[in-house]
Amino acid sequence: MAVSIKSAREIQLMREAGKILCEVHNQLEDFVKPGISTLEIDQYGEKLIRKYNCIPSFLNYEGYPASICVSVNDEVVHGIPTKQRILKDGDIVSLDAGVIYEGYHSDAARTHLIGKCSLEAQRLVEVTKQSFFEGIKYAKEGNRLFDISNAIADYVESYGYGIVQDLVGHGVGRKLHEDPQIPNYRQSRRGMRLKAGMTLAIEPMINAGGYEVVWLDDDWTVVTEDGSLSAHYENTVLITEGEPEILSLVE
Ligand code: MF3
Ligand code: CO
């Protein structure tokens, strides 16, 4: 497993890619509301990405047909936007996006509450986001990769939620998916040593019910097997000798 260490120049480009992606997500957050279609979200997101002179990382990636993955309620990830799917009050919607800036990718996801959601939905979304922050407490040089995984897993399991196992986080940089793979569930080993200059997409995918997921016939959309709600939160993170730098989350 060859994990790339980014140079100062590459880090600067990834910082820019992350900042742009953060801006795209902030504008998408303001855009999502009851009555809009998942296709409109994709079209607006693509327009924003291109406005910043970036390329949508996901468009045509292994044949994926859109720029933004839009996953509603029991859809875990990789939902395909359509004009028929209209957001309604009480839905939760996960938006996953990536941008390429000067040849470097950033990758991030947020889950939004649409209108007035159940307390159960609110809690799932909050715990999923917080699990990312629990994980990155360990994201620094000298610690090990699965310290991150285990911190996420311990936190999520304390709420009794299901942790998706069939999809994992990953290195990110010149390619959208680089080594290493980053599970969100408990590992018995501590994994490889983290080094300054690694750039990682850490992305817990958490189900209100069981951890099991299935793929729909479109070959993309992943849904919970038991029909329970699912949330996703992701950022591109730079490992340093001290605190991690969350490249896709900036003021
Ligand atoms: N964040 C997702 C991932 O890391 C994005 C990939 S979606 C795809 O797998 F459509 F591009 F495949
Ligand atoms: Co990712």
Side-chain angles (χ1 to χ4, degrees), residues 12 37 49 76 90 100 125 142 156 201 217 246:
Q12 201 42 49
S37 70
I49 292 168
V76 179
I100 311 172
V125 169
V156 170
D217 285 338
I246 310 177

Side-chain angles (χ1 to χ4, degrees), residues 54-69:
C54 289
I55 299 167
S57 303
F58 302 172
L59 186 60
N60 301 318
Y61 181 87
E62 291 181 9
Y64 184 75
S67 298
I68 316 286
C69 297

Side-chain angles (χ1 to χ4, degrees), residues 34 40-41 56 64 76 85 93 111 114 147 149 152 154 162 177 244:
E40 286 173 281
I41 297 170
Y64 184 75
V76 179
R85 186 77 193 250
V93 64
T111 301
I114 302 302
D147 296 344
S149 307
I152 293 171
D154 286 349
H177 293 137

Side-chain angles (χ1 to χ4, degrees), residues 36-48:
I36 70 160
S37 70
T38 57
L39 183 65
E40 286 173 281
I41 297 170
D42 176 57
Q43 290 170 338
Y44 182 62
E46 179 173 359
K47 199 177 80 180
L48 289 169

